Amino acid sequence: LAKTTQPISMDSYEGQEVNITCSHNNIATNDYITWYQQFPSQGPRFIIQGYKTKVTNEVASLFIPADRKSSTLSLPRVSLSDTAVYYCLVGASERGSARQLTFGSGTQLTVLP
Amino acid sequence: DVKVTQSSRYLVKRTGEKVFLECVQDMDHENMFWYRQDPGLGLRLIYFSYDVKMKEKGDIPEGYSVSREKKERFSLILESASTNQTSMYLCASNSIANYGYTFGSGTRLTVV
């Protein structure tokens, strides 16, 4: 499974756009990139998944360059409730594969008023 | 809304006890997983199951066993609880029809 590297922590202010970048230099051809959000004392929650270029949903956008060695999660206009740990995962998790996901240490995002 | 339900949010057990952690999903998912989460170590996979009565070891299966007698239920068993099994335990599921994993809210187990 591809190893991922993310910043340990980030601070932002309410209303700002936040970009969290993840490095995954040894990503495999079949690997997808998935981001999860976790609040204290809760399980991780799926945010977004992509394979290449750009993916957008109602919560976030995911930017993946052509070489796929990194990806950026973009959260528009964050609020205090977006304070959480964000995990970047890389693996063959498309279409509900039973193969395990490996969670890294994640990025603690703190949104300040 | 899809749901993974773990039977207990908090549990305190004594060393040597047999402990059962139950997980139920209502989404007809084929795959179910048990993770434990510890500060500084992230989430680590204990066991997973891709079908009824099927199971596969994850990264840290020692001291644990699992049971999947019905599609919707996946149980984690600590045969003889030890203090180093004090942790947050998370159950998850997914299916061949979707991309994401759905996690339960977790069970915080303390072994004293």
Side-chain angles (χ1 to χ4, degrees), chain A residues 18-30:
Chain A
V18 171
N19 296 310
I20 306 174
T21 297
C22 179
S23 297
H24 28 80
N25 291 320
N26 58 341
I27 187 169
T29 304
N30 293 335

Side-chain angles (χ1 to χ4, degrees), chain B residues 9-25:
Chain B
R9 287 301 304 271
Y10 300 95
L11 214 50
V12 180
K13 295 292 181 181
R14 295 192 181 279
T15 301
E17 274 194 80
K18 190 168 186 175
V19 181
F20 293 86
L21 301 183
E22 305 288 346
C23 175
V24 177
Q25 49 98 359

Side-chain angles (χ1 to χ4, degrees), chain B residues 22-40:
Chain B
E22 305 288 346
C23 175
V24 177
Q25 49 98 359
D26 63 1
M27 300 160 284
D28 202 35
H29 282 175
E30 294 82 7
N31 309 318
M32 297 188 74
F33 306 79
W34 275 105
Y35 286 85
R36 65 177 282 178
Q37 186 172 28
D38 302 286

